[in-house]
Amino acid sequence: MVLKKADNIKCNEDIERERKKCSFDPLELTHLLDGGPEKTRERKEREYYFLSEPELRDTIPQDYLSHKEKYEEAVRKACTLFRKVTQLRDKGGDLEIFRQTLSGMLGSAILKDGNPFTLHYVMFLPTIVGQGTVEQQAEWMGKAWNCDIIGTYAQTELGHGTFIRGLETTAHYDPKTQEFILNSPTLTSYKWWPGGLGQTANFAVVVAQLHTKGVCHGIHPFIVQLRDEETHKPMPGIKIGEIGTKLGMNATNNGYLGFDNVRIPREHMLMKNAQVLEDGTYVKSPSDKLTYGTMMFVRVIILQDMAGYLSKATTIAVRYSAVRRQSELKPGEPEPQIIDYLTQQYKLFPNLAACFALRFNATWLWNMYNCVTAELEEGDLDRLPELHALSCCMKAVCTADAAQGVETCRLSCGGHGYMTCSSMPSIYGLVTAASTYEGENTVLLLQTARYLMKAWQQAVGGMTMTPTVAYLKQAVSGNNGPWSWENTTACIIRAYQQVAAGKIKMCAENMDKRIRGGICPEDAWNMTSVELAQCAEAHARAIMVDKFVESVLELNVSPALKTVLTQLSELYAVYWLLQKSGDFLMFSDVTAQDIASLQKWMEVLLSEIRPNAVGIVDGFDICDEILSSALGSYDGRVYERLFEEASKSPLNKEPVNVSFHKYLKPFLKASL
Amino acid sequence: MVLKKADNIKCNEDIERERKKCSFDPLELTHLLDGGPEKTRERKEREYYFLSEPELRDTIPQDYLSHKEKYEEAVRKACTLFRKVTQLRDKGGDLEIFRQTLSGMLGSAILKDGNPFTLHYVMFLPTIVGQGTVEQQAEWMGKAWNCDIIGTYAQTELGHGTFIRGLETTAHYDPKTQEFILNSPTLTSYKWWPGGLGQTANFAVVVAQLHTKGVCHGIHPFIVQLRDEETHKPMPGIKIGEIGTKLGMNATNNGYLGFDNVRIPREHMLMKNAQVLEDGTYVKSPSDKLTYGTMMFVRVIILQDMAGYLSKATTIAVRYSAVRRQSELKPGEPEPQIIDYLTQQYKLFPNLAACFALRFNATWLWNMYNCVTAELEEGDLDRLPELHALSCCMKAVCTADAAQGVETCRLSCGGHGYMTCSSMPSIYGLVTAASTYEGENTVLLLQTARYLMKAWQQAVGGMTMTPTVAYLKQAVSGNNGPWSWENTTACIIRAYQQVAAGKIKMCAENMDKRIRGGICPEDAWNMTSVELAQCAEAHARAIMVDKFVESVLELNVSPALKTVLTQLSELYAVYWLLQKSGDFLMFSDVTAQDIASLQKWMEVLLSEIRPNAVGIVDGFDICDEILSSALGSYDGRVYERLFEEASKSPLNKEPVNVSFHKYLKPFLKASL
């Protein structure tokens, strides 16, 4: 779909035929995903507002530029984008538009290789709001809000990422001058990775170990000026630059930052929670748990983003598979559309289903997050550990699945998926990064596992269980109730819970055995950690299948759409069961015969989804400008677009490249 | 290891300690992998010969250049490289040096983003040798050998890759002028992908559908001049250019090529096999099967290359994991090396084992290839189908495993693995391409499956079975013999064979049921194809585990090295069993209890391999210049090198980027 649908689009015939045989109305799906027709209209208006701006378009694809040119183009476009965002904001737009326009699907379509300004709105501003006192907010918010300054958030260091307690940057309080003195005591203490830090931002929130009166009080946030507002030259004692090229996001200007006795006023420590008084007295924060909030919010956002990127990749791969014809199924017949091969359906449709699984689970986690936050404000911290445990394992599983899904979709497009103009490589670059940032996936799984080990003890002890781990009670009692296996999602969900419970129980027993054998708890934990990570994954999968199926059941949509979504939720449930069949044979009532019949069911589901596949991705309603893919555009004119893209290469602008005269001809003409 | 080891390298202390605790001599491993001390010396000499050449070094990392600059630099370096290769050749070097220097580890270290000349030696020359008559060889080999011309191999088209029968380019014979007329009748018939085709080559072997006397005789190879030898301008009727940027290999200059009534002399058809006589009479090739040879040779090479790239990735990840310290295992203790986390070992060591599995299997397949080729020359085609089936499924499984292995290694390095200077992204770019080229993996698995279905019928029919499918006989008889499970590789190998046989049998039954149910064989095949691809994978895994274990058993090495290699082969066998535990529970004698004890065994193996991990990757002996990784260098100075690499960025060469004055300052100073 283009921004404004022209009437005269000539679509590829195969893809047109697909649209005719669709059994539901894709527009109904679009409205469902947006939250209603009005929301769809708003989204499309917003997309048009940004994407129709000529200043935000690339004159040539950015991949042909040098690294430096890419950065300079990104700054140019980011300024235009920010201007337009601010205009929209001042007209009374939702704050959420910042995020969506800067880091979501729309933003990543405009600045495909990343935006060096993103952290200003996504981290710098929110940290001032969340951690600054009223006075600090008054002072800094105006400047930041009006873009008089541009900020970033400098936490990660060369030597420390996920384990933030290990950060080494120091901020020593000097009561004489009432200043903090910032230093980078080691090479590894240099800040490393923050977006926009390299050449862009002139201010930063810097996270450093706070020392006062000879005591270290752990990490705290400080506002630091990095560059002169007039000249943009680094401030005294600031060593700053960019970290270099990466797998993706090469325009985000990720930077490094070192401090050599950089002095900042006491008031630059963000003191909403902890404080340092004028004489250097440290006043503790009332609660540590409050900082969990932002972290969990970010993880929910990650789930949404993963759903978006995977939807992009499946849209491209499904449309391409409907247009591409190859090989033969039956001698003498025309080459089939590759989407008719069961092996191709097996690559595509489980990922199509995963788009919905991720989306519905993101919504579910978002609702839970809001409930828990509301309880928190009334002083009730009870469900915080559960929410934290869920956000950890779901972030890990969703980012890993999305990355694998995107790669599967890319590979399903054969060689053409390897081309930059397919957009697949850049989608992968964005998605795979999420396995590492905001908590490395294995570390997160083990955090969930720690919660699950405690939950198991509670279940064994007969205590009341919070809803998402209530299934452990059945495992403890050993009574699964009288139920016989049927190919239904209800049975499958119980089996997922049996697997999770079985793995949790096994880990608890293995830990226990090791500790009783004289191994200290920390070593026992490490020795059991491969299984512990797997039990957290099993827990996440049990939740995700359950919430996907439940969400579809509760939907108030047409029977036609309901049927399609039910098929997708069933496919998701069956597919992952078969992927993990060993676990189900070991820990659930599923038998080898059931596996064989589930395989058949899966094959039936693939063939049921087949005629609606193009309709489903049409329902995602990702416009061509956002897809930005020669293989995935709405009209299906794959080969024409591949040619158009090739014609944009600067190498194709001249009949003979200079290297022929400079190097090649002398080489060929030399008598060797 | 650097090219010439300096005595004064100051290594990171942790990595030095690792080397001291190694239980075997890494040099013995190096000699084993090279094929003896003399071969090691030769390899190192060759590496020195190329890598010490100043003209072959980059002045700045290529990732900072524009696409056009990258290409021009690649042509410059490729000319120098070819000159040096030719000098070496003329001194009597082995022909294999071309391949290794152009497309192997050494070549990809010199031209990290690909070499636009590679196909000249790797495809153009060999095709002339393999498919040209004696006269044609006399005419073309001299020119090609002396590099008077530079050629490529143009087979793949925009619309057809793996399914070569579908190629659309036509070559019509005109007896009046005794010429072929080449045409691109459709958009999709344009050649698309050949390396060096864009702006580099002036000749090509073009594969086209041969038409003569009104009959199409299928695809045949033709020599076509693409560009004028003096001016390099495209010849009349030739439409040519590059296809644009890709996920990796951006300097290979992959091109497109269209024909508009391009006339070439009759003698330009390569006629060693089939011929067209002057009057247009078509003379058939004596055997179609002869062309299998090159294809299978290439697949063996792919296995070797995969082993090499995975060795590179594991070297980087293992050394980094020995240097990186993070988080805490026990309160109050220093941060542990991350290689001490069992979860990290679980990511690294199975891939370390896979390096050897791939290498030993490549050797085994190479030996089989040579045997079968020798038999072929004596007219014995018996083992050709078996070899073909093996090369298909092993290529598919090895490339897929290598790609996943490289990504696991990259992710195990956390955020730093995302940086280009880790070399991980470019290794992935090279490895993932191999899942698609030289036969798309799913297509190849299904080719093996077709062979296995026939083999199953033969086993059922009581016929003699070739060695690699002999295990099917046991499955047919249902008699696995009296054996009880033990944690030994012998038992495990039998279980792998049971799984493969069980899956093959199930596929045969499912096919049969469908056909008896009235479904035509072609549809039945498609409906069973997900399981068919999986049975081919199971067959490949049974072979690979078997040959790995067998190869290690037969080695004549020191007990210390033997122990290490045995541990690795055991880990490989156990790891993949656990990955596919569902299959083993369904189709082999392995029970749920066995799975639990195999998990323990795997954990023990991980801890046994742990002290030797750095020694093993040292034994790969990949010098720093080839590794080209800030994270993986021999001295372990990870953080220093990350800084050095960052300092190379052109953005860091000036204190303030021009975009500040042009865009950012006006934006920040504007009252919004």
Side-chain angles (χ1 to χ4, degrees):
Chain A
M1 239 155 282
V2 287
L3 278 173
K4 294 273 172 184
K5 239 187 257 187
D7 293 329
N8 57 351
I9 298 177
K10 174 85 184 91
C11 285
N12 167 285
E13 286 175 14
D14 285 323
I15 212 161
E16 260 187 352
R17 198 176 327 107
E18 295 296 328
R19 291 189 173 117
K20 280 177 194 143
K21 69 182 168 197
C22 184
S23 72
F24 71 101
D25 180 6
L27 192 61
E28 188 189 358
L29 177 56
T30 304
H31 292 158
L32 172 71
L33 295 174
D34 280 323
E38 182 58 17
K39 296 272 182 194
T40 298
R41 198 188 54 73
E42 281 172 22
R43 173 178 58 78
K44 284 172 114 51
E45 261 182 29
R46 196 162 57 238
E47 287 173 4
Y48 185 77
Y49 174 71
F50 287 104
L51 296 171
S52 64
E53 168 65 54
E55 292 279 307
L56 290 179
R57 289 201 198 126
D58 295 328
T59 41
I60 72 163
Q62 302 293 293
D63 303 295
Y64 293 110
L65 303 183
S66 72
H67 182 66
K68 197 160 170 248
E69 288 165 338
K70 274 181 210 172
Y71 170 67
E72 289 159 10
E73 265 296 283
V75 173
R76 182 186 69 72
K77 284 165 72 177
C79 288
T80 304
L81 183 65
F82 259 47
R83 246 183 231 112
K84 286 188 76 86
V85 167
T86 312
Q87 284 159 7
L88 204 62
R89 180 192 79 192
D90 293 348
K91 279 188 215 147
D94 190 329
L95 265 180
E96 174 65 7
I97 56 164
F98 291 129
R99 199 196 63 73
Q100 282 189 20
T101 315
L102 295 174
S103 65
M105 294 268 280
L106 181 55
S108 67
I110 295 168
L111 282 133
K112 292 188 189 69
D113 226 3
N115 180 341
F117 291 11
T118 302
L119 289 199
H120 178 76
Y121 271 121
V122 172
M123 291 296 292
F124 184 68
L125 256 159
T127 308
I128 293 170
V129 174
Q131 316 234 22
T133 61
V134 176
E135 296 76 30
Q136 288 175 321
Q137 292 190 29
E139 181 179 355
W140 294 104
M141 280 301 292
K143 290 183 195 175
W145 194 248
N146 291 327
C147 294
D148 298 333
I149 61 174
I150 180 133
T152 183
Y153 181 84
Q155 176 175 300
T156 298
E157 295 173 0
L158 195 46
H160 288 88
T162 301
F163 182 65
I164 54 172
R165 272 189 289 149
L167 295 176
E168 298 174 88
T169 303
T170 54
H172 281 92
Y173 185 64
D174 178 359
K176 279 187 230 116
T177 59
Q178 299 198 8
E179 287 173 321
F180 289 101
I181 310 160
L182 273 75
N183 273 296
S184 307
T186 60
L187 184 63
T188 48
S189 73
Y190 269 65
K191 297 295 173 188
W192 194 271
W193 278 114
L197 177 61
Q199 277 73 26
T200 315
N202 53 13
F203 278 80
V205 168
V206 172
V207 178
Q209 298 286 356
L210 165 63
H211 294 259
T212 179
K213 292 189 167 180
V215 179
C216 177
H217 293 280
I219 55 170
H220 289 76
F222 302 85
I223 295 183
V224 182
Q225 181 169 0
L226 305 175
R227 290 176 178 270
D228 182 89
E229 289 184 64
E230 285 303 317
T231 65
H232 211 55
K233 289 207 174 126
M235 301 298 282
I238 296 281
K239 286 173 276 181
I240 197 163
E242 72 137 354
I243 61 171
T245 50
K246 294 149 292 163
L247 191 154
M249 297 198 276
N250 276 300
T252 45
N253 197 225
N254 301 82
Y256 67 81
L257 171 62
F259 301 96
D260 182 12
N261 286 310
V262 173
R263 287 181 168 262
I264 56 170
R266 185 182 68 94
E267 295 77 22
H268 279 209
M269 172 177 160
L270 291 171
M271 298 210 208
K272 184 177 179 180
N273 301 314
Q275 294 172 45
V276 171
L277 305 183
E278 290 185 4
D279 69 346
T281 305
Y282 179 76
V283 184
K284 249 180 96 170
S285 165
S287 165
D288 289 347
K289 302 218 168 165
L290 292 172
T291 49
Y292 273 129
T294 333
M295 221 163 64
M296 280 183 289
F297 171 76
V298 173
R299 289 191 190 141
V300 172
I301 299 297
I302 289 176
L303 258 62
Q304 287 177 356
D305 286 348
M306 293 301 110
Y309 293 127
L310 189 57
S311 303
K312 228 171 137 170
T314 51
T315 300
I316 296 165
V318 165
R319 287 188 183 152
Y320 177 72
S321 300
V323 171
R324 179 78 167 178
R325 288 178 169 274
Q326 194 80 176
S327 198
E328 57 179 28
L329 272 172
K330 292 176 197 175
E333 290 196 1
E335 294 183 88
Q337 295 163 278
I338 59 174
I339 201 171
D340 280 327
Y341 290 102
L342 192 78
T343 48
Q344 187 77 353
Q345 296 166 11
Y346 182 66
K347 290 174 192 175
L348 300 177
F349 300 165
N351 286 308
L352 203 52
C355 296
F356 292 90
L358 265 55
R359 229 174 241 266
F360 286 124
N361 272 279
T363 305
W364 174 77
L365 193 63
W366 177 242
N367 293 337
M368 182 170 170
Y369 167 75
N370 283 321
C371 287
V372 175
T373 309
E375 289 167 16
L376 215 65
E377 308 224 325
E378 291 169 15
D380 178 0
L381 304 177
D382 277 6
R383 293 192 69 190
L384 205 57
E386 182 188 13
L387 176 65
H388 177 245
L390 279 167
S391 76
C392 287
C393 66
M394 288 171 77
K395 183 267 182 186
V397 172
C398 290
T399 54
D401 285 1
Q404 212 188 323
V406 170
E407 276 304 80
T408 303
C409 288
R410 178 177 69 74
L411 288 164
S412 80
C413 298
H416 297 333
Y418 194 74
M419 300 205 58
T420 314
C421 68
S422 73
S423 243
M424 291 294 204
S426 67
I427 298 173
Y428 184 64
L430 291 170
V431 170
T432 187
S435 286
T436 307
Y437 63 59
E438 296 299 329
E440 193 276 333
N441 279 356
T442 306
V443 175
L444 292 186
L445 288 174
L446 291 174
Q447 289 191 12
T448 302
R450 216 170 268 284
Y451 168 82
L452 294 172
M453 288 301 99
K454 278 185 208 153
W456 177 253
Q457 296 312 334
Q458 288 168 354
V460 170
M463 290 168 71
T464 323
M465 306 299 289
T466 48
T468 56
V469 285
Y471 65 82
L472 292 177
K473 294 190 89 165
Q474 286 177 327
V476 169
S477 70
N479 174 19
N480 285 312
W483 63 302
S484 60
W485 179 263
E486 286 174 274
N487 280 353
T488 62
T489 43
C491 274
I492 292 178
I493 289 166
R494 287 178 78 155
Y496 271 94
Q497 292 171 346
Q498 286 182 309
V499 166
K503 292 196 148 236
I504 292 166
K505 184 181 175 204
M506 188 182 65
C507 285
E509 287 172 355
N510 284 344
M511 279 286 289
D512 203 43
K513 254 182 252 166
R514 286 181 166 126
I515 291 169
R516 277 188 289 113
I519 295 168
C520 73
E522 292 86 1
D523 286 335
W525 180 264
N526 191 27
M527 291 166 81
T528 316
S529 58
V530 168
E531 291 180 309
L532 283 162
Q534 288 170 353
C535 88
E537 185 195 334
H539 175 63
R541 297 215 178 274
I543 298 288
M544 286 171 66
V545 169
D546 185 18
K547 298 308 161 196
F548 184 11
V549 169
E550 192 179 271
S551 303
V552 170
L553 270 176
E554 287 169 359
L555 285 179
N556 186 15
V557 292
S558 71
L561 180 56
K562 188 94 161 193
T563 302
V564 173
L565 292 174
T566 304
Q567 288 162 351
L568 288 166
S569 66
E570 288 171 348
L571 177 64
Y572 187 77
V574 175
Y575 175 83
W576 279 105
L577 188 159
L578 291 171
Q579 288 295 105
K580 305 276 174 182
S581 59
D583 291 341
F584 286 83
L585 290 169
M586 283 183 73
F587 298 109
S588 82
D589 297 330
V590 172
T591 65
Q593 283 74 34
D594 299 331
I595 297 286
S597 85
L598 285 162
Q599 173 75 25
K600 297 276 172 306
W601 190 18
M602 186 192 69
E603 290 163 2
V604 169
L605 285 166
L606 293 177
S607 67
E608 285 173 350
I609 292 165
R610 162 69 188 88
N612 286 316
V614 168
I616 295 167
V617 300
D618 283 353
F620 290 152
D621 193 34
I622 307 174
C623 70
D624 282 355
E625 288 77 1
I626 290 181
L627 270 183
S628 183
S629 169
L631 306 186
S633 63
Y634 185 80
D635 62 15
R637 298 177 73 241
V638 166
Y639 301 111
E640 291 86 343
R641 281 172 195 272
L642 280 168
F643 252 100
E644 278 164 33
E645 289 301 320
S647 73
K648 295 177 186 167
S649 166
L651 278 171
N652 291 337
K653 301 289 184 196
E654 46 194 19
V656 178
N657 179 265
V658 63
S659 64
F660 172 71
H661 301 290
K662 255 170 110 174
Y663 311 118
L664 191 55
K665 192 170 179 184
F667 169 70
L668 295 176
K669 295 295 172 186
S671 54
L672 288 162
Chain B
M1 238 156 283
V2 287
L3 279 172
K4 296 271 172 184
K5 234 188 258 183
D7 293 328
N8 57 351
I9 299 177
K10 175 84 184 96
C11 285
N12 167 284
E13 285 174 16
D14 285 322
I15 213 161
E16 260 187 352
R17 200 177 324 108
E18 294 296 327
R19 290 188 174 118
K20 281 178 193 143
K21 70 183 167 196
C22 183
S23 73
F24 71 102
D25 180 7
L27 191 61
E28 188 190 357
L29 176 56
T30 304
H31 292 159
L32 172 72
L33 295 174
D34 280 322
E38 183 56 19
K39 295 272 183 194
T40 298
R41 198 189 52 75
E42 281 172 25
R43 173 178 58 78
K44 286 172 111 55
E45 262 181 30
R46 195 162 59 238
E47 287 173 5
Y48 184 78
Y49 174 72
F50 288 105
L51 296 172
S52 64
E53 168 64 55
E55 293 279 306
L56 291 178
R57 292 204 195 121
D58 296 328
T59 42
I60 73 161
Q62 302 293 293
D63 303 294
Y64 293 110
L65 303 183
S66 73
H67 181 66
K68 197 159 171 245
E69 289 165 338
K70 273 182 211 173
Y71 170 66
E72 289 159 9
E73 265 296 282
V75 173
R76 182 187 69 73
K77 285 166 74 178
C79 288
T80 304
L81 182 66
F82 259 46
R83 247 183 230 113
K84 285 186 78 84
V85 166
T86 313
Q87 283 159 8
L88 205 61
R89 181 192 78 190
D90 294 348
K91 280 188 217 150
D94 189 331
L95 265 178
E96 173 65 7
I97 56 167
F98 292 129
R99 198 197 62 72
Q100 282 189 21
T101 315
L102 295 174
S103 66
M105 292 268 279
L106 182 54
S108 67
I110 294 168
L111 282 133
K112 293 189 188 68
D113 225 5
N115 180 343
F117 290 12
T118 302
L119 289 200
H120 178 76
Y121 271 121
V122 172
M123 293 295 293
F124 183 68
L125 255 159
T127 308
I128 293 171
V129 174
Q131 316 233 24
T133 62
V134 177
E135 296 75 30
Q136 288 176 319
Q137 291 190 30
E139 182 179 354
W140 294 104
M141 279 301 292
K143 289 184 196 175
W145 193 250
N146 290 325
C147 294
D148 298 333
I149 60 175
I150 181 137
T152 183
Y153 181 85
Q155 176 175 298
T156 299
E157 295 173 357
L158 195 47
H160 288 89
T162 300
F163 182 65
I164 54 173
R165 272 189 290 150
L167 295 176
E168 299 174 89
T169 302
T170 55
H172 282 91
Y173 184 65
D174 177 0
K176 282 189 230 113
T177 59
Q178 301 197 8
E179 287 172 321
F180 290 101
I181 310 159
L182 274 76
N183 273 297
S184 306
T186 59
L187 183 63
T188 48
S189 73
Y190 269 63
K191 297 294 173 188
W192 193 270
W193 277 114
L197 177 61
Q199 278 72 25
T200 315
N202 52 13
F203 278 81
V205 168
V206 171
V207 179
Q209 299 285 356
L210 166 63
H211 294 258
T212 180
K213 294 189 168 181
V215 179
C216 177
H217 293 280
I219 55 170
H220 289 75
F222 303 85
I223 296 184
V224 183
Q225 182 169 358
L226 306 175
R227 289 174 178 272
D228 182 88
E229 289 185 63
E230 285 302 317
T231 66
H232 211 54
K233 288 203 174 129
M235 300 298 284
I238 297 279
K239 287 175 272 181
I240 197 164
E242 72 137 356
I243 62 171
T245 50
K246 294 151 293 165
L247 190 154
M249 300 199 275
N250 275 300
T252 45
N253 198 225
N254 301 82
Y256 66 80
L257 171 63
F259 302 96
D260 181 12
N261 286 310
V262 173
R263 287 182 167 261
I264 56 169
R266 184 183 67 93
E267 297 77 21
H268 279 208
M269 172 176 160
L270 291 172
M271 299 213 208
K272 184 176 178 181
N273 302 313
Q275 293 173 43
V276 172
L277 304 183
E278 291 186 1
D279 69 346
T281 306
Y282 180 75
V283 184
K284 245 181 100 168
S285 166
S287 165
D288 289 346
K289 300 219 168 162
L290 292 171
T291 49
Y292 273 130
T294 334
M295 219 164 65
M296 279 184 289
F297 172 75
V298 174
R299 289 189 191 143
V300 172
I301 300 295
I302 290 177
L303 258 61
Q304 287 176 356
D305 286 348
M306 293 300 112
Y309 293 127
L310 189 56
S311 303
K312 230 171 135 169
T314 51
T315 300
I316 296 164
V318 165
R319 287 185 183 155
Y320 176 71
S321 301
V323 171
R324 179 78 167 180
R325 289 178 168 273
Q326 194 80 174
S327 196
E328 58 179 27
L329 273 171
K330 293 176 196 174
E333 287 195 4
E335 293 184 87
Q337 295 163 277
I338 58 173
I339 200 172
D340 281 327
Y341 290 102
L342 192 78
T343 48
Q344 186 77 351
Q345 296 166 13
Y346 182 67
K347 291 175 192 174
L348 300 177
F349 301 165
N351 285 308
L352 203 52
C355 296
F356 292 91
L358 265 56
R359 230 175 240 266
F360 287 123
N361 273 280
T363 306
W364 174 78
L365 192 63
W366 178 241
N367 293 336
M368 182 170 173
Y369 167 75
N370 284 319
C371 288
V372 174
T373 309
E375 289 167 15
L376 215 65
E377 308 225 323
E378 291 169 17
D380 178 2
L381 303 177
D382 277 6
R383 293 192 69 189
L384 205 57
E386 181 187 14
L387 176 64
H388 177 246
L390 279 168
S391 77
C392 286
C393 66
M394 286 170 79
K395 184 271 183 183
V397 172
C398 289
T399 54
D401 285 0
Q404 211 188 326
V406 170
E407 276 305 80
T408 304
C409 287
R410 178 177 69 74
L411 288 164
S412 81
C413 297
H416 298 334
Y418 194 75
M419 299 205 60
T420 314
C421 68
S422 73
S423 242
M424 292 294 205
S426 67
I427 298 173
Y428 184 64
L430 291 170
V431 170
T432 187
S435 286
T436 307
Y437 64 61
E438 296 298 330
E440 194 277 330
N441 279 354
T442 304
V443 175
L444 292 187
L445 287 174
L446 290 174
Q447 289 192 13
T448 301
R450 216 171 269 284
Y451 168 82
L452 294 173
M453 288 302 98
K454 279 184 206 153
W456 177 253
Q457 297 309 336
Q458 289 168 353
V460 170
M463 291 168 71
T464 324
M465 305 299 288
T466 50
T468 56
V469 284
Y471 65 84
L472 292 177
K473 295 190 86 164
Q474 285 178 326
V476 168
S477 70
N479 174 16
N480 285 310
W483 63 301
S484 61
W485 178 263
E486 285 174 274
N487 280 354
T488 63
T489 44
C491 275
I492 292 178
I493 289 166
R494 289 178 77 154
Y496 271 93
Q497 292 172 347
Q498 286 182 310
V499 167
K503 291 194 149 236
I504 292 166
K505 185 183 175 200
M506 187 182 65
C507 285
E509 288 172 356
N510 284 344
M511 279 286 291
D512 203 43
K513 253 183 255 166
R514 286 180 166 129
I515 291 169
R516 277 188 288 116
I519 296 168
C520 75
E522 292 85 2
D523 286 336
W525 179 265
N526 190 27
M527 290 166 83
T528 318
S529 59
V530 168
E531 291 180 309
L532 283 163
Q534 287 170 354
C535 87
E537 184 194 335
H539 176 63
R541 296 212 178 276
I543 299 287
M544 286 172 65
V545 169
D546 186 17
K547 297 309 162 195
F548 184 13
V549 169
E550 193 178 271
S551 304
V552 171
L553 269 176
E554 287 169 1
L555 285 179
N556 187 13
V557 292
S558 70
L561 179 55
K562 189 94 158 194
T563 303
V564 173
L565 293 173
T566 305
Q567 287 163 351
L568 288 165
S569 65
E570 289 171 349
L571 177 63
Y572 187 76
V574 175
Y575 176 83
W576 280 105
L577 189 158
L578 291 172
Q579 289 296 105
K580 305 276 176 182
S581 59
D583 291 340
F584 285 82
L585 291 169
M586 283 182 73
F587 298 109
S588 82
D589 298 330
V590 173
T591 64
Q593 284 73 34
D594 298 330
I595 297 285
S597 86
L598 285 162
Q599 173 75 23
K600 297 279 172 305
W601 189 17
M602 186 192 70
E603 290 164 2
V604 170
L605 285 165
L606 293 177
S607 68
E608 284 173 350
I609 292 165
R610 161 68 188 89
N612 287 315
V614 168
I616 295 167
V617 300
D618 283 353
F620 290 152
D621 195 33
I622 307 173
C623 69
D624 282 356
E625 287 77 2
I626 290 181
L627 269 183
S628 185
S629 169
L631 306 186
S633 63
Y634 185 79
D635 62 16
R637 298 176 73 241
V638 166
Y639 300 112
E640 292 86 346
R641 281 172 196 271
L642 281 168
F643 252 100
E644 279 164 32
E645 289 301 321
S647 73
K648 294 176 185 166
S649 165
L651 279 172
N652 291 337
K653 301 290 186 197
E654 45 193 21
V656 177
N657 179 265
V658 64
S659 64
F660 172 72
H661 300 291
K662 255 171 109 174
Y663 311 118
L664 191 55
K665 193 171 177 181
F667 169 69
L668 294 176
K669 294 295 172 185
S671 52
L672 288 161

